[in-house]
Amino acid sequence: MGKKIGIIGLGTIGSYLKERIESSDKFELAFILDVDKTKATVSSLDKTNLSKIDLVVECASAEAVKEYAAKVLEKTDLMILSSSALAEKNLEEKITVARKKFGTKLFIPSGAIIGLDGIVAVKEQLESVELVTRKNPKGFGRNDKKETVLFEGNARKAAMLYPKNVNVAATLALNGIGFEKTRAKIISDPKCTANTHTVTAKGKFGAFHIKVAALPSKNPKTSGIAALSAWRKINEILLGRSLD
Ligand SMILES: NC(=O)c1ccc[n+]([C@@H]2O[C@H](COP(=O)([O-])OP(=O)(O)OC[C@H]3O[C@@H](n4cnc5c(N)ncnc54)[C@H](O)[C@@H]3O)[C@@H](O)[C@H]2O)c1
């Protein structure tokens, strides 16, 4: 019997994960929950469908994190892709209370960014983290004809204003120096063909730069590497895989 996984959100990322899970003998797809009833195998989450599940993966929306995260963590571990949801202080607190009370774990994959291991490694010496995200206007549902700065400020405001586009800011904040101190600049650029994230991290350790130019997936807001990182993380969590 493979490790049992439940998926919340069968969109671009969820469909990729479903395919990988179903073609592996190490995993078993336990349920799919989606607002689109034609995709779902369950209509809600309760003690019955959450029992004996090894991991629930949220790849739906910030709303889904609000709705289901604490409920899942009462029963089992959870991995979330919509990390921007945690910019809401009350929700982050509720989730922390639930996982501490029930001894469950919350995982956040690197998603559209790379180098999170570096951020975590230098965390205690980290003094500043700056992110510049540049996407084609389509990714923001806009029609800008020239480069337009949409936002400049802290990661909390960035994640609340652009929850579908700056999960990267939230992921960096949660793994590094927090939502207030992490800075984010969001640019809509018609010349952009890849979703580009540039991170500058500085501190007592020195400095490093991370630059990712990831091709968008079917969903122009979502970089293809997000699904790959989610699949990799599932393998690490459930099989303890390090090197293949
Ligand atoms: N962490 C990262 O770096 C990163 C990168 C890319 C995408 N994401 C996030 O991952 C999530 C999934 O991305 P995607 O491209 O697969 O999205 P998508 O739009 O292709 O699919 C989302 C699916 O979730 C379902 N859904 C939405 N809200 C729901 C809810 N409240 N309850 C149940 N189902 C719900 C939709 O019906 C859809 O089937 C998004 O929130 C996106 O912002 C994060």
Side-chain angles (χ1 to χ4, degrees), residues 8-14 33-36 39 58-64 67-68 81-83 109-113 163-164 167-168 171 219 221-223 226:
I8 305 177
L10 193 70
T12 313
I13 296 174
L33 177 69
D34 200 295
V35 279
D36 180 344
K39 298 176 177 174
E58 174 283 324
C59 39
S61 60
E63 291 73 32
E67 210 171 330
Y68 301 112
L81 269 298
S82 309
S83 54
S110 49
I113 194 77
K164 294 184 180 153
N167 288 294
V168 166
T171 299
N219 177 352
K221 296 183 178 75
T222 289
S223 302

PDB file of all heavy atoms in Angstrom, residues 8-14 33-36 39 58-64 67-68 81-83 109-113 163-164 167-168 171 219 221-223 226, ligand 1:
ATOM      1  N   ILE A   8      -6.200  19.119  -2.589  1.00  0.00           N
ATOM      2  CA  ILE A   8      -7.218  20.180  -2.617  1.00  0.00           C
ATOM      3  C   ILE A   8      -6.871  21.081  -3.800  1.00  0.00           C
ATOM      4  O   ILE A   8      -5.824  21.739  -3.793  1.00  0.00           O
ATOM      5  CB  ILE A   8      -7.226  21.009  -1.308  1.00  0.00           C
ATOM      6  CG1 ILE A   8      -7.410  20.106  -0.088  1.00  0.00           C
ATOM      7  CG2 ILE A   8      -8.308  22.092  -1.371  1.00  0.00           C
ATOM      8  CD1 ILE A   8      -7.365  20.836   1.258  1.00  0.00           C
ATOM      9  N   GLY A   9      -7.700  21.084  -4.828  1.00  0.00           N
ATOM     10  CA  GLY A   9      -7.469  21.923  -6.005  1.00  0.00           C
ATOM     11  C   GLY A   9      -6.877  21.150  -7.166  1.00  0.00           C
ATOM     12  O   GLY A   9      -5.676  20.879  -7.205  1.00  0.00           O
ATOM     13  N   LEU A  10      -7.713  20.750  -8.107  1.00  0.00           N
ATOM     14  CA  LEU A  10      -7.218  19.984  -9.263  1.00  0.00           C
ATOM     15  C   LEU A  10      -7.084  20.903 -10.489  1.00  0.00           C
ATOM     16  O   LEU A  10      -7.777  20.737 -11.481  1.00  0.00           O
ATOM     17  CB  LEU A  10      -8.151  18.809  -9.566  1.00  0.00           C
ATOM     18  CG  LEU A  10      -7.578  17.781 -10.530  1.00  0.00           C
ATOM     19  CD1 LEU A  10      -6.446  16.987  -9.897  1.00  0.00           C
ATOM     20  CD2 LEU A  10      -8.671  16.823 -11.011  1.00  0.00           C
ATOM     21  N   GLY A  11      -6.175  21.887 -10.366  1.00  0.00           N
ATOM     22  CA  GLY A  11      -5.917  22.790 -11.500  1.00  0.00           C
ATOM     23  C   GLY A  11      -4.605  22.408 -12.153  1.00  0.00           C
ATOM     24  O   GLY A  11      -4.312  21.224 -12.323  1.00  0.00           O
ATOM     25  N   THR A  12      -3.812  23.426 -12.496  1.00  0.00           N
ATOM     26  CA  THR A  12      -2.544  23.178 -13.191  1.00  0.00           C
ATOM     27  C   THR A  12      -1.603  22.308 -12.349  1.00  0.00           C
ATOM     28  O   THR A  12      -1.103  21.280 -12.817  1.00  0.00           O
ATOM     29  CB  THR A  12      -1.867  24.536 -13.504  1.00  0.00           C
ATOM     30  OG1 THR A  12      -2.845  25.398 -14.070  1.00  0.00           O
ATOM     31  CG2 THR A  12      -0.719  24.382 -14.456  1.00  0.00           C
ATOM     32  N   ILE A  13      -1.373  22.713 -11.106  1.00  0.00           N
ATOM     33  CA  ILE A  13      -0.442  21.974 -10.244  1.00  0.00           C
ATOM     34  C   ILE A  13      -1.069  20.652  -9.801  1.00  0.00           C
ATOM     35  O   ILE A  13      -0.443  19.590  -9.872  1.00  0.00           O
ATOM     36  CB  ILE A  13      -0.032  22.829  -9.016  1.00  0.00           C
ATOM     37  CG1 ILE A  13       0.740  24.067  -9.476  1.00  0.00           C
ATOM     38  CG2 ILE A  13       0.806  22.003  -8.028  1.00  0.00           C
ATOM     39  CD1 ILE A  13       1.074  25.066  -8.389  1.00  0.00           C
ATOM     40  N   GLY A  14      -2.325  20.705  -9.359  1.00  0.00           N
ATOM     41  CA  GLY A  14      -3.011  19.508  -8.861  1.00  0.00           C
ATOM     42  C   GLY A  14      -3.076  18.401  -9.915  1.00  0.00           C
ATOM     43  O   GLY A  14      -2.880  17.223  -9.605  1.00  0.00           O
ATOM     44  N   LEU A  33     -10.480  17.306  -3.608  1.00  0.00           N
ATOM     45  CA  LEU A  33     -11.520  18.265  -3.228  1.00  0.00           C
ATOM     46  C   LEU A  33     -11.359  19.484  -4.131  1.00  0.00           C
ATOM     47  O   LEU A  33     -10.245  20.003  -4.279  1.00  0.00           O
ATOM     48  CB  LEU A  33     -11.336  18.667  -1.764  1.00  0.00           C
ATOM     49  CG  LEU A  33     -12.308  19.716  -1.217  1.00  0.00           C
ATOM     50  CD1 LEU A  33     -13.709  19.128  -1.102  1.00  0.00           C
ATOM     51  CD2 LEU A  33     -11.853  20.202   0.152  1.00  0.00           C
ATOM     52  N   ASP A  34     -12.425  19.907  -4.757  1.00  0.00           N
ATOM     53  CA  ASP A  34     -12.349  21.072  -5.645  1.00  0.00           C
ATOM     54  C   ASP A  34     -13.725  21.732  -5.666  1.00  0.00           C
ATOM     55  O   ASP A  34     -14.745  21.034  -5.575  1.00  0.00           O
ATOM     56  CB  ASP A  34     -11.949  20.640  -7.070  1.00  0.00           C
ATOM     57  CG  ASP A  34     -11.401  21.794  -7.885  1.00  0.00           C
ATOM     58  OD1 ASP A  34     -12.163  22.750  -8.162  1.00  0.00           O
ATOM     59  OD2 ASP A  34     -10.214  21.772  -8.228  1.00  0.00           O
ATOM     60  N   VAL A  35     -13.730  23.064  -5.789  1.00  0.00           N
ATOM     61  CA  VAL A  35     -15.030  23.752  -5.886  1.00  0.00           C
ATOM     62  C   VAL A  35     -15.763  23.319  -7.157  1.00  0.00           C
ATOM     63  O   VAL A  35     -16.987  23.358  -7.214  1.00  0.00           O
ATOM     64  CB  VAL A  35     -14.910  25.304  -5.878  1.00  0.00           C
ATOM     65  CG1 VAL A  35     -14.754  25.851  -4.483  1.00  0.00           C
ATOM     66  CG2 VAL A  35     -13.781  25.774  -6.778  1.00  0.00           C
ATOM     67  N   ASP A  36     -14.966  22.917  -8.146  1.00  0.00           N
ATOM     68  CA  ASP A  36     -15.558  22.378  -9.374  1.00  0.00           C
ATOM     69  C   ASP A  36     -15.939  20.915  -9.109  1.00  0.00           C
ATOM     70  O   ASP A  36     -15.082  20.032  -9.038  1.00  0.00           O
ATOM     71  CB  ASP A  36     -14.520  22.489 -10.504  1.00  0.00           C
ATOM     72  CG  ASP A  36     -15.044  21.947 -11.821  1.00  0.00           C
ATOM     73  OD1 ASP A  36     -16.050  21.217 -11.818  1.00  0.00           O
ATOM     74  OD2 ASP A  36     -14.416  22.249 -12.852  1.00  0.00           O
ATOM     75  N   LYS A  39     -14.586  17.799 -10.884  1.00  0.00           N
ATOM     76  CA  LYS A  39     -13.230  17.303 -10.644  1.00  0.00           C
ATOM     77  C   LYS A  39     -13.115  16.578  -9.304  1.00  0.00           C
ATOM     78  O   LYS A  39     -12.189  15.811  -9.086  1.00  0.00           O
ATOM     79  CB  LYS A  39     -12.251  18.484 -10.600  1.00  0.00           C
ATOM     80  CG  LYS A  39     -12.132  19.295 -11.873  1.00  0.00           C
ATOM     81  CD  LYS A  39     -11.188  20.459 -11.592  1.00  0.00           C
ATOM     82  CE  LYS A  39     -10.922  21.322 -12.791  1.00  0.00           C
ATOM     83  NZ  LYS A  39     -10.120  22.512 -12.418  1.00  0.00           N
ATOM     84  N   GLU A  58      -2.437  21.171  -0.572  1.00  0.00           N
ATOM     85  CA  GLU A  58      -3.310  22.247  -1.053  1.00  0.00           C
ATOM     86  C   GLU A  58      -2.652  22.893  -2.257  1.00  0.00           C
ATOM     87  O   GLU A  58      -1.518  23.388  -2.158  1.00  0.00           O
ATOM     88  CB  GLU A  58      -3.524  23.286   0.077  1.00  0.00           C
ATOM     89  CG  GLU A  58      -4.308  24.530  -0.333  1.00  0.00           C
ATOM     90  CD  GLU A  58      -3.499  25.540  -1.149  1.00  0.00           C
ATOM     91  OE1 GLU A  58      -2.293  25.706  -0.887  1.00  0.00           O
ATOM     92  OE2 GLU A  58      -4.074  26.147  -2.063  1.00  0.00           O
ATOM     93  N   CYS A  59      -3.320  22.884  -3.389  1.00  0.00           N
ATOM     94  CA  CYS A  59      -2.840  23.613  -4.573  1.00  0.00           C
ATOM     95  C   CYS A  59      -4.080  24.227  -5.226  1.00  0.00           C
ATOM     96  O   CYS A  59      -4.374  23.948  -6.392  1.00  0.00           O
ATOM     97  CB  CYS A  59      -2.036  22.740  -5.515  1.00  0.00           C
ATOM     98  SG  CYS A  59      -2.652  21.073  -5.726  1.00  0.00           S
ATOM     99  N   ALA A  60      -4.794  25.034  -4.451  1.00  0.00           N
ATOM    100  CA  ALA A  60      -6.076  25.583  -4.908  1.00  0.00           C
ATOM    101  C   ALA A  60      -6.068  27.109  -4.890  1.00  0.00           C
ATOM    102  O   ALA A  60      -6.036  27.759  -5.943  1.00  0.00           O
ATOM    103  CB  ALA A  60      -7.202  25.046  -4.022  1.00  0.00           C
ATOM    104  N   SER A  61      -6.078  27.695  -3.700  1.00  0.00           N
ATOM    105  CA  SER A  61      -6.163  29.159  -3.571  1.00  0.00           C
ATOM    106  C   SER A  61      -5.983  29.543  -2.108  1.00  0.00           C
ATOM    107  O   SER A  61      -6.093  28.686  -1.218  1.00  0.00           O
ATOM    108  CB  SER A  61      -7.547  29.637  -4.030  1.00  0.00           C
ATOM    109  OG  SER A  61      -8.550  29.024  -3.219  1.00  0.00           O
ATOM    110  N   ALA A  62      -5.742  30.845  -1.888  1.00  0.00           N
ATOM    111  CA  ALA A  62      -5.623  31.333  -0.506  1.00  0.00           C
ATOM    112  C   ALA A  62      -6.927  31.061   0.259  1.00  0.00           C
ATOM    113  O   ALA A  62      -6.900  30.736   1.450  1.00  0.00           O
ATOM    114  CB  ALA A  62      -5.295  32.821  -0.513  1.00  0.00           C
ATOM    115  N   GLU A  63      -8.059  31.144  -0.437  1.00  0.00           N
ATOM    116  CA  GLU A  63      -9.363  30.888   0.212  1.00  0.00           C
ATOM    117  C   GLU A  63      -9.418  29.455   0.727  1.00  0.00           C
ATOM    118  O   GLU A  63      -9.939  29.193   1.808  1.00  0.00           O
ATOM    119  CB  GLU A  63     -10.535  31.101  -0.770  1.00  0.00           C
ATOM    120  CG  GLU A  63     -10.788  32.534  -1.190  1.00  0.00           C
ATOM    121  CD  GLU A  63      -9.738  33.054  -2.156  1.00  0.00           C
ATOM    122  OE1 GLU A  63      -9.206  32.251  -2.949  1.00  0.00           O
ATOM    123  OE2 GLU A  63      -9.426  34.259  -2.096  1.00  0.00           O
ATOM    124  N   ALA A  64      -8.885  28.525  -0.072  1.00  0.00           N
ATOM    125  CA  ALA A  64      -8.906  27.116   0.340  1.00  0.00           C
ATOM    126  C   ALA A  64      -8.046  26.908   1.591  1.00  0.00           C
ATOM    127  O   ALA A  64      -8.401  26.111   2.461  1.00  0.00           O
ATOM    128  CB  ALA A  64      -8.417  26.232  -0.809  1.00  0.00           C
ATOM    129  N   GLU A  67     -10.061  28.010   4.444  1.00  0.00           N
ATOM    130  CA  GLU A  67     -11.182  27.111   4.714  1.00  0.00           C
ATOM    131  C   GLU A  67     -10.736  25.767   5.321  1.00  0.00           C
ATOM    132  O   GLU A  67     -11.407  25.245   6.211  1.00  0.00           O
ATOM    133  CB  GLU A  67     -11.899  26.854   3.374  1.00  0.00           C
ATOM    134  CG  GLU A  67     -13.375  26.597   3.512  1.00  0.00           C
ATOM    135  CD  GLU A  67     -14.034  26.570   2.125  1.00  0.00           C
ATOM    136  OE1 GLU A  67     -13.548  27.257   1.194  1.00  0.00           O
ATOM    137  OE2 GLU A  67     -15.025  25.843   1.986  1.00  0.00           O
ATOM    138  N   TYR A  68      -9.625  25.236   4.877  1.00  0.00           N
ATOM    139  CA  TYR A  68      -9.331  23.839   5.226  1.00  0.00           C
ATOM    140  C   TYR A  68      -8.068  23.591   6.059  1.00  0.00           C
ATOM    141  O   TYR A  68      -7.945  22.514   6.651  1.00  0.00           O
ATOM    142  CB  TYR A  68      -9.218  22.991   3.948  1.00  0.00           C
ATOM    143  CG  TYR A  68     -10.457  23.016   3.106  1.00  0.00           C
ATOM    144  CD1 TYR A  68     -10.464  23.633   1.858  1.00  0.00           C
ATOM    145  CD2 TYR A  68     -11.641  22.435   3.568  1.00  0.00           C
ATOM    146  CE1 TYR A  68     -11.617  23.667   1.086  1.00  0.00           C
ATOM    147  CE2 TYR A  68     -12.794  22.468   2.799  1.00  0.00           C
ATOM    148  CZ  TYR A  68     -12.770  23.084   1.553  1.00  0.00           C
ATOM    149  OH  TYR A  68     -13.917  23.106   0.805  1.00  0.00           O
ATOM    150  N   LEU A  81       0.647  25.224  -1.227  1.00  0.00           N
ATOM    151  CA  LEU A  81       1.261  25.986  -2.321  1.00  0.00           C
ATOM    152  C   LEU A  81       0.857  27.452  -2.229  1.00  0.00           C
ATOM    153  O   LEU A  81       1.616  28.342  -2.573  1.00  0.00           O
ATOM    154  CB  LEU A  81       0.818  25.399  -3.674  1.00  0.00           C
ATOM    155  CG  LEU A  81       1.673  24.311  -4.321  1.00  0.00           C
ATOM    156  CD1 LEU A  81       3.067  24.798  -4.651  1.00  0.00           C
ATOM    157  CD2 LEU A  81       1.768  23.085  -3.477  1.00  0.00           C
ATOM    158  N   SER A  82      -0.377  27.707  -1.753  1.00  0.00           N
ATOM    159  CA  SER A  82      -0.876  29.092  -1.707  1.00  0.00           C
ATOM    160  C   SER A  82      -0.392  29.772  -0.425  1.00  0.00           C
ATOM    161  O   SER A  82      -1.180  30.157   0.446  1.00  0.00           O
ATOM    162  CB  SER A  82      -2.399  29.097  -1.786  1.00  0.00           C
ATOM    163  OG  SER A  82      -2.825  28.321  -2.881  1.00  0.00           O
ATOM    164  N   SER A  83       0.948  29.914  -0.339  1.00  0.00           N
ATOM    165  CA  SER A  83       1.564  30.407   0.896  1.00  0.00           C
ATOM    166  C   SER A  83       1.179  31.843   1.210  1.00  0.00           C
ATOM    167  O   SER A  83       1.245  32.281   2.359  1.00  0.00           O
ATOM    168  CB  SER A  83       3.085  30.268   0.802  1.00  0.00           C
ATOM    169  OG  SER A  83       3.559  30.902  -0.371  1.00  0.00           O
ATOM    170  N   PRO A 109       6.578  24.076   0.033  1.00  0.00           N
ATOM    171  CA  PRO A 109       7.640  23.778  -0.936  1.00  0.00           C
ATOM    172  C   PRO A 109       8.225  25.070  -1.500  1.00  0.00           C
ATOM    173  O   PRO A 109       7.617  26.140  -1.373  1.00  0.00           O
ATOM    174  CB  PRO A 109       6.903  22.998  -2.020  1.00  0.00           C
ATOM    175  CG  PRO A 109       5.514  23.504  -1.960  1.00  0.00           C
ATOM    176  CD  PRO A 109       5.243  23.888  -0.530  1.00  0.00           C
ATOM    177  N   SER A 110       9.380  24.957  -2.145  1.00  0.00           N
ATOM    178  CA  SER A 110      10.007  26.188  -2.662  1.00  0.00           C
ATOM    179  C   SER A 110       9.162  26.808  -3.775  1.00  0.00           C
ATOM    180  O   SER A 110       9.239  28.005  -4.009  1.00  0.00           O
ATOM    181  CB  SER A 110      11.425  25.899  -3.141  1.00  0.00           C
ATOM    182  OG  SER A 110      11.439  24.786  -3.983  1.00  0.00           O
ATOM    183  N   GLY A 111       8.310  26.024  -4.434  1.00  0.00           N
ATOM    184  CA  GLY A 111       7.380  26.587  -5.419  1.00  0.00           C
ATOM    185  C   GLY A 111       8.105  27.225  -6.582  1.00  0.00           C
ATOM    186  O   GLY A 111       8.960  26.595  -7.215  1.00  0.00           O
ATOM    187  N   ALA A 112       7.813  28.489  -6.851  1.00  0.00           N
ATOM    188  CA  ALA A 112       8.371  29.153  -8.023  1.00  0.00           C
ATOM    189  C   ALA A 112       9.774  29.706  -7.797  1.00  0.00           C
ATOM    190  O   ALA A 112      10.362  30.300  -8.698  1.00  0.00           O
ATOM    191  CB  ALA A 112       7.435  30.270  -8.456  1.00  0.00           C
ATOM    192  N   ILE A 113      10.301  29.515  -6.587  1.00  0.00           N
ATOM    193  CA  ILE A 113      11.632  30.075  -6.302  1.00  0.00           C
ATOM    194  C   ILE A 113      12.627  28.918  -6.105  1.00  0.00           C
ATOM    195  O   ILE A 113      12.237  27.762  -6.019  1.00  0.00           O
ATOM    196  CB  ILE A 113      11.556  30.989  -5.043  1.00  0.00           C
ATOM    197  CG1 ILE A 113      12.790  31.871  -4.884  1.00  0.00           C
ATOM    198  CG2 ILE A 113      11.318  30.190  -3.775  1.00  0.00           C
ATOM    199  CD1 ILE A 113      12.779  33.022  -5.818  1.00  0.00           C
ATOM    200  N   PRO A 163      -2.321  37.871  -4.155  1.00  0.00           N
ATOM    201  CA  PRO A 163      -2.161  36.519  -3.588  1.00  0.00           C
ATOM    202  C   PRO A 163      -1.825  35.457  -4.618  1.00  0.00           C
ATOM    203  O   PRO A 163      -1.125  34.497  -4.309  1.00  0.00           O
ATOM    204  CB  PRO A 163      -3.520  36.247  -2.920  1.00  0.00           C
ATOM    205  CG  PRO A 163      -4.479  37.198  -3.544  1.00  0.00           C
ATOM    206  CD  PRO A 163      -3.666  38.416  -3.911  1.00  0.00           C
ATOM    207  N   LYS A 164      -2.288  35.640  -5.864  1.00  0.00           N
ATOM    208  CA  LYS A 164      -2.050  34.589  -6.861  1.00  0.00           C
ATOM    209  C   LYS A 164      -0.700  34.745  -7.540  1.00  0.00           C
ATOM    210  O   LYS A 164      -0.265  33.876  -8.264  1.00  0.00           O
ATOM    211  CB  LYS A 164      -3.144  34.619  -7.927  1.00  0.00           C
ATOM    212  CG  LYS A 164      -4.479  34.242  -7.341  1.00  0.00           C
ATOM    213  CD  LYS A 164      -5.549  34.177  -8.375  1.00  0.00           C
ATOM    214  CE  LYS A 164      -6.850  33.799  -7.701  1.00  0.00           C
ATOM    215  NZ  LYS A 164      -8.013  34.273  -8.396  1.00  0.00           N
ATOM    216  N   ASN A 167       3.188  34.361  -4.211  1.00  0.00           N
ATOM    217  CA  ASN A 167       3.425  33.322  -3.209  1.00  0.00           C
ATOM    218  C   ASN A 167       4.916  33.286  -2.876  1.00  0.00           C
ATOM    219  O   ASN A 167       5.297  32.949  -1.764  1.00  0.00           O
ATOM    220  CB  ASN A 167       2.984  31.964  -3.755  1.00  0.00           C
ATOM    221  CG  ASN A 167       1.478  31.869  -3.839  1.00  0.00           C
ATOM    222  OD1 ASN A 167       0.796  31.880  -2.815  1.00  0.00           O
ATOM    223  ND2 ASN A 167       0.946  31.796  -5.035  1.00  0.00           N
ATOM    224  N   VAL A 168       5.742  33.665  -3.854  1.00  0.00           N
ATOM    225  CA  VAL A 168       7.192  33.660  -3.631  1.00  0.00           C
ATOM    226  C   VAL A 168       7.567  34.598  -2.478  1.00  0.00           C
ATOM    227  O   VAL A 168       8.384  34.243  -1.619  1.00  0.00           O
ATOM    228  CB  VAL A 168       7.933  34.077  -4.926  1.00  0.00           C
ATOM    229  CG1 VAL A 168       9.382  34.405  -4.646  1.00  0.00           C
ATOM    230  CG2 VAL A 168       7.846  32.959  -5.952  1.00  0.00           C
ATOM    231  N   THR A 171       6.568  32.837   0.695  1.00  0.00           N
ATOM    232  CA  THR A 171       7.438  31.684   0.973  1.00  0.00           C
ATOM    233  C   THR A 171       8.788  32.158   1.521  1.00  0.00           C
ATOM    234  O   THR A 171       9.314  31.599   2.484  1.00  0.00           O
ATOM    235  CB  THR A 171       7.619  30.844  -0.318  1.00  0.00           C
ATOM    236  OG1 THR A 171       6.323  30.389  -0.716  1.00  0.00           O
ATOM    237  CG2 THR A 171       8.516  29.656  -0.105  1.00  0.00           C
ATOM    238  N   ASN A 219      -1.406  27.910 -16.682  1.00  0.00           N
ATOM    239  CA  ASN A 219      -1.901  29.076 -15.952  1.00  0.00           C
ATOM    240  C   ASN A 219      -0.784  30.127 -15.967  1.00  0.00           C
ATOM    241  O   ASN A 219       0.274  29.897 -15.391  1.00  0.00           O
ATOM    242  CB  ASN A 219      -2.228  28.629 -14.517  1.00  0.00           C
ATOM    243  CG  ASN A 219      -2.688  29.783 -13.651  1.00  0.00           C
ATOM    244  OD1 ASN A 219      -2.638  30.930 -14.064  1.00  0.00           O
ATOM    245  ND2 ASN A 219      -3.134  29.464 -12.453  1.00  0.00           N
ATOM    246  N   LYS A 221      -0.188  32.691 -14.425  1.00  0.00           N
ATOM    247  CA  LYS A 221       0.249  33.189 -13.105  1.00  0.00           C
ATOM    248  C   LYS A 221       1.212  32.196 -12.452  1.00  0.00           C
ATOM    249  O   LYS A 221       1.920  32.526 -11.526  1.00  0.00           O
ATOM    250  CB  LYS A 221      -0.967  33.355 -12.174  1.00  0.00           C
ATOM    251  CG  LYS A 221      -1.968  34.391 -12.618  1.00  0.00           C
ATOM    252  CD  LYS A 221      -3.075  34.500 -11.567  1.00  0.00           C
ATOM    253  CE  LYS A 221      -4.091  35.550 -11.912  1.00  0.00           C
ATOM    254  NZ  LYS A 221      -5.001  35.140 -12.984  1.00  0.00           N
ATOM    255  N   THR A 222       1.153  30.939 -12.904  1.00  0.00           N
ATOM    256  CA  THR A 222       1.884  29.866 -12.223  1.00  0.00           C
ATOM    257  C   THR A 222       3.095  29.406 -13.024  1.00  0.00           C
ATOM    258  O   THR A 222       2.970  29.026 -14.180  1.00  0.00           O
ATOM    259  CB  THR A 222       0.914  28.679 -11.976  1.00  0.00           C
ATOM    260  OG1 THR A 222      -0.014  29.070 -10.975  1.00  0.00           O
ATOM    261  CG2 THR A 222       1.622  27.431 -11.522  1.00  0.00           C
ATOM    262  N   SER A 223       4.281  29.424 -12.377  1.00  0.00           N
ATOM    263  CA  SER A 223       5.494  28.934 -13.033  1.00  0.00           C
ATOM    264  C   SER A 223       5.493  27.414 -13.024  1.00  0.00           C
ATOM    265  O   SER A 223       5.102  26.793 -12.027  1.00  0.00           O
ATOM    266  CB  SER A 223       6.733  29.413 -12.276  1.00  0.00           C
ATOM    267  OG  SER A 223       6.736  30.814 -12.202  1.00  0.00           O
ATOM    268  N   ALA A 226       6.844  25.237 -10.096  1.00  0.00           N
ATOM    269  CA  ALA A 226       6.098  25.089  -8.829  1.00  0.00           C
ATOM    270  C   ALA A 226       5.587  23.655  -8.671  1.00  0.00           C
ATOM    271  O   ALA A 226       5.681  23.059  -7.595  1.00  0.00           O
ATOM    272  CB  ALA A 226       4.937  26.076  -8.783  1.00  0.00           C
TER     273      ALA A 226
HETATM  274  N1  LIG B   1       4.226  28.715  -3.805  1.00  0.00           N
HETATM  275  C1  LIG B   1       4.450  29.066  -5.064  1.00  0.00           C
HETATM  276  O1  LIG B   1       5.544  29.495  -5.439  1.00  0.00           O
HETATM  277  C2  LIG B   1       3.339  28.944  -6.065  1.00  0.00           C
HETATM  278  C3  LIG B   1       3.621  28.894  -7.426  1.00  0.00           C
HETATM  279  C4  LIG B   1       2.569  28.735  -8.320  1.00  0.00           C
HETATM  280  C5  LIG B   1       1.260  28.690  -7.872  1.00  0.00           C
HETATM  281  N2  LIG B   1       1.006  28.788  -6.533  1.00  0.00           N
HETATM  282  C6  LIG B   1      -0.370  28.746  -6.016  1.00  0.00           C
HETATM  283  O2  LIG B   1      -0.829  27.420  -6.079  1.00  0.00           O
HETATM  284  C7  LIG B   1      -2.248  27.417  -6.241  1.00  0.00           C
HETATM  285  C8  LIG B   1      -2.619  26.514  -7.422  1.00  0.00           C
HETATM  286  O3  LIG B   1      -2.066  27.033  -8.621  1.00  0.00           O
HETATM  287  P1  LIG B   1      -2.599  26.493 -10.035  1.00  0.00           P
HETATM  288  O4  LIG B   1      -1.835  27.207 -11.083  1.00  0.00           O
HETATM  289  O5  LIG B   1      -2.634  25.018 -10.029  1.00  0.00           O
HETATM  290  O6  LIG B   1      -4.096  27.080 -10.009  1.00  0.00           O
HETATM  291  P2  LIG B   1      -5.304  26.744 -11.002  1.00  0.00           P
HETATM  292  O7  LIG B   1      -6.119  27.980 -11.065  1.00  0.00           O
HETATM  293  O8  LIG B   1      -4.826  26.124 -12.259  1.00  0.00           O
HETATM  294  O9  LIG B   1      -6.135  25.619 -10.191  1.00  0.00           O
HETATM  295  C9  LIG B   1      -6.731  25.837  -8.938  1.00  0.00           C
HETATM  296  C10 LIG B   1      -7.764  24.739  -8.690  1.00  0.00           C
HETATM  297  O10 LIG B   1      -8.220  24.856  -7.333  1.00  0.00           O
HETATM  298  C11 LIG B   1      -9.646  24.929  -7.299  1.00  0.00           C
HETATM  299  N3  LIG B   1     -10.029  25.781  -6.165  1.00  0.00           N
HETATM  300  C12 LIG B   1      -9.864  27.121  -6.039  1.00  0.00           C
HETATM  301  N4  LIG B   1     -10.320  27.538  -4.844  1.00  0.00           N
HETATM  302  C13 LIG B   1     -10.780  26.447  -4.196  1.00  0.00           C
HETATM  303  C14 LIG B   1     -11.374  26.237  -2.922  1.00  0.00           C
HETATM  304  N5  LIG B   1     -11.631  27.252  -2.078  1.00  0.00           N
HETATM  305  N6  LIG B   1     -11.722  24.982  -2.565  1.00  0.00           N
HETATM  306  C15 LIG B   1     -11.514  23.933  -3.417  1.00  0.00           C
HETATM  307  N7  LIG B   1     -10.967  24.078  -4.652  1.00  0.00           N
HETATM  308  C16 LIG B   1     -10.592  25.317  -5.037  1.00  0.00           C
HETATM  309  C17 LIG B   1     -10.053  25.479  -8.666  1.00  0.00           C
HETATM  310  O11 LIG B   1     -11.379  25.083  -9.017  1.00  0.00           O
HETATM  311  C18 LIG B   1      -9.000  24.855  -9.598  1.00  0.00           C
HETATM  312  O12 LIG B   1      -9.397  23.581 -10.036  1.00  0.00           O
HETATM  313  C19 LIG B   1      -2.667  28.882  -6.446  1.00  0.00           C
HETATM  314  O13 LIG B   1      -3.144  29.427  -5.235  1.00  0.00           O
HETATM  315  C20 LIG B   1      -1.357  29.556  -6.838  1.00  0.00           C
HETATM  316  O14 LIG B   1      -1.342  30.929  -6.489  1.00  0.00           O
HETATM  317  C21 LIG B   1       2.019  28.896  -5.643  1.00  0.00           C
END
